[in-house]
Amino acid sequence: MNPLDERRGQVTVASTIELEMLGWAEPVTVTLRWSSDTPYAVGLLFPGDLEVCWLVARDLLAAGLLGPCGLGDISVFPDLYDPGFAEFVLSSPDGSVGLRMPVHRLAAFLDATWRHVPAGAEAQPS
Protein backbone atom coordinates (compact mmCIF):
# COMPACT_ATOMS: atom_id res chain seq x y z
CA MET A 1 0.00 0.00 0.00
CA ASN A 2 1.34 3.40 -0.90
CA PRO A 3 1.51 6.04 1.83
CA LEU A 4 -1.68 7.95 2.42
CA ASP A 5 -1.81 11.46 1.05
CA GLU A 6 -3.45 13.68 3.64
CA ARG A 7 -3.88 17.29 2.56
CA ARG A 8 -6.77 19.64 3.13
CA GLY A 9 -8.57 16.83 4.93
CA GLN A 10 -8.46 14.64 1.82
CA VAL A 11 -7.15 11.10 2.11
CA THR A 12 -6.00 9.08 -0.89
CA VAL A 13 -5.29 5.35 -0.81
CA ALA A 14 -3.40 3.85 -3.74
CA SER A 15 -2.02 0.41 -4.49
CA THR A 16 -0.19 -0.72 -7.61
CA ILE A 17 -0.86 -4.34 -8.52
CA GLU A 18 0.25 -6.61 -11.36
CA LEU A 19 -2.79 -8.33 -12.85
CA GLU A 20 -3.04 -11.31 -15.13
CA MET A 21 -4.79 -10.35 -18.34
CA LEU A 22 -6.76 -13.40 -19.47
CA GLY A 23 -5.67 -14.58 -22.90
CA TRP A 24 -2.36 -12.65 -22.76
CA ALA A 25 1.05 -13.87 -21.68
CA GLU A 26 2.20 -10.57 -20.19
CA PRO A 27 0.73 -9.18 -16.94
CA VAL A 28 -0.59 -5.63 -16.79
CA THR A 29 0.13 -3.16 -14.00
CA VAL A 30 -2.87 -1.34 -12.58
CA THR A 31 -3.05 1.28 -9.84
CA LEU A 32 -6.12 1.20 -7.62
CA ARG A 33 -6.82 4.74 -6.36
CA TRP A 34 -9.49 5.86 -3.91
CA SER A 35 -10.04 9.33 -2.45
CA SER A 36 -12.14 10.43 0.50
CA ASP A 37 -13.39 13.27 -1.78
CA THR A 38 -15.19 10.66 -3.90
CA PRO A 39 -15.68 7.78 -1.43
CA TYR A 40 -18.04 5.73 -3.60
CA ALA A 41 -15.56 5.27 -6.47
CA VAL A 42 -12.27 3.46 -7.03
CA GLY A 43 -10.19 4.30 -10.08
CA LEU A 44 -8.44 1.51 -11.96
CA LEU A 45 -5.58 3.34 -13.68
CA PHE A 46 -3.87 1.58 -16.57
CA PRO A 47 -0.55 3.19 -17.50
CA GLY A 48 0.57 3.93 -21.02
CA ASP A 49 1.00 6.75 -23.49
CA LEU A 50 -2.64 7.60 -22.88
CA GLU A 51 -3.39 6.59 -19.29
CA VAL A 52 -6.80 4.93 -19.06
CA CYS A 53 -8.92 5.11 -15.90
CA TRP A 54 -11.99 2.99 -15.24
CA LEU A 55 -14.17 4.12 -12.32
CA VAL A 56 -15.65 1.28 -10.32
CA ALA A 57 -18.01 1.47 -7.35
CA ARG A 58 -16.18 0.51 -4.16
CA ASP A 59 -19.24 -1.55 -3.14
CA LEU A 60 -19.06 -3.48 -6.42
CA LEU A 61 -15.45 -4.47 -5.75
CA ALA A 62 -16.36 -5.60 -2.22
CA ALA A 63 -19.40 -7.57 -3.38
CA GLY A 64 -17.30 -9.21 -6.11
CA LEU A 65 -15.13 -10.81 -3.43
CA LEU A 66 -18.19 -12.75 -2.23
CA GLY A 67 -20.01 -13.58 -5.44
CA PRO A 68 -20.69 -12.50 -9.00
CA CYS A 69 -21.87 -8.91 -9.40
CA GLY A 70 -22.02 -6.10 -11.90
CA LEU A 71 -23.94 -5.70 -15.10
CA GLY A 72 -22.88 -3.76 -18.13
CA ASP A 73 -19.38 -2.34 -18.41
CA ILE A 74 -17.85 -3.91 -15.29
CA SER A 75 -18.33 -7.33 -13.70
CA VAL A 76 -16.44 -8.69 -10.70
CA PHE A 77 -16.59 -12.24 -9.36
CA PRO A 78 -14.55 -14.84 -7.48
CA ASP A 79 -12.39 -17.03 -9.72
CA LEU A 80 -14.19 -20.35 -10.20
CA TYR A 81 -11.00 -22.40 -10.07
CA ASP A 82 -8.83 -20.52 -7.58
CA PRO A 83 -10.49 -18.77 -4.61
CA GLY A 84 -7.28 -16.77 -4.12
CA PHE A 85 -8.22 -14.62 -7.13
CA ALA A 86 -11.03 -12.32 -8.18
CA GLU A 87 -11.81 -11.79 -11.84
CA PHE A 88 -12.88 -8.59 -13.58
CA VAL A 89 -14.42 -8.17 -17.00
CA LEU A 90 -14.20 -4.64 -18.42
CA SER A 91 -16.36 -4.08 -21.50
CA SER A 92 -16.47 -1.14 -23.90
CA PRO A 93 -17.65 -0.57 -27.47
CA ASP A 94 -14.06 -1.44 -28.52
CA GLY A 95 -14.17 -4.88 -26.87
CA SER A 96 -13.72 -6.51 -23.49
CA VAL A 97 -10.88 -7.80 -21.37
CA GLY A 98 -10.73 -10.24 -18.47
CA LEU A 99 -8.33 -9.64 -15.58
CA ARG A 100 -7.38 -11.63 -12.47
CA MET A 101 -6.33 -9.99 -9.20
CA PRO A 102 -5.16 -11.64 -5.97
CA VAL A 103 -8.03 -11.44 -3.47
CA HIS A 104 -5.73 -10.56 -0.57
CA ARG A 105 -4.46 -7.46 -2.44
CA LEU A 106 -7.98 -6.24 -3.26
CA ALA A 107 -9.19 -6.93 0.29
CA ALA A 108 -6.22 -5.06 1.82
CA PHE A 109 -6.89 -2.09 -0.46
CA LEU A 110 -10.58 -2.00 0.47
CA ASP A 111 -9.76 -2.34 4.18
CA ALA A 112 -7.46 0.69 3.91
CA THR A 113 -10.27 2.76 2.36
CA TRP A 114 -12.81 1.65 4.97
CA ARG A 115 -10.53 2.83 7.77
CA HIS A 116 -11.10 6.37 6.48
CA VAL A 117 -14.71 6.14 5.26
CA PRO A 118 -16.51 3.00 6.43
CA ALA A 119 -18.91 1.23 4.09
CA GLY A 120 -22.31 2.90 4.39
CA ALA A 121 -20.86 6.19 5.70
CA GLU A 122 -19.97 7.68 2.30
CA ALA A 123 -22.78 10.26 2.35
CA GLN A 124 -21.94 11.54 5.85
CA PRO A 125 -20.09 14.85 6.00
CA SER A 126 -16.41 14.47 6.91
Side-chain angles (χ1 to χ4, degrees):
M1 208 60 51
N2 291 342
L4 300 178
D5 177 8
E6 298 187 49
R7 55 182 137 74
R8 293 177 282 124
Q10 174 190 346
V11 177
T12 300
V13 177
S15 181
T16 300
I17 303 172
E18 228 179 51
L19 304 182
E20 178 183 336
M21 193 175 342
L22 302 178
W24 293 82
E26 295 294 318
V28 61
T29 300
V30 175
T31 299
L32 301 175
R33 185 175 308 273
W34 173 89
S35 172
S36 59
D37 285 354
T38 55
Y40 290 105
V42 171
L44 302 176
L45 291 97
F46 293 84
D49 292 338
L50 297 172
E51 185 175 78
V52 175
C53 181
W54 283 71
L55 290 179
V56 182
R58 182 171 69 160
D59 289 350
L60 179 76
L61 293 176
L65 292 174
L66 304 174
C69 65
L71 297 172
D73 295 346
I74 302 170
S75 300
V76 183
F77 45 92
D79 186 294
L80 293 174
Y81 302 104
D82 186 343
F85 287 88
E87 292 191 14
F88 295 75
V89 176
L90 306 177
S91 301
S92 78
D94 294 326
S96 61
V97 65
L99 303 164
R100 289 181 66 207
M101 175 185 293
V103 166
H104 74 277
R105 296 291 306 271
L106 179 56
F109 173 81
L110 291 170
D111 286 343
T113 71
W114 289 326
R115 282 194 293 273
H116 299 285
V117 179
E122 294 90 351
Q124 297 174 5
S126 46

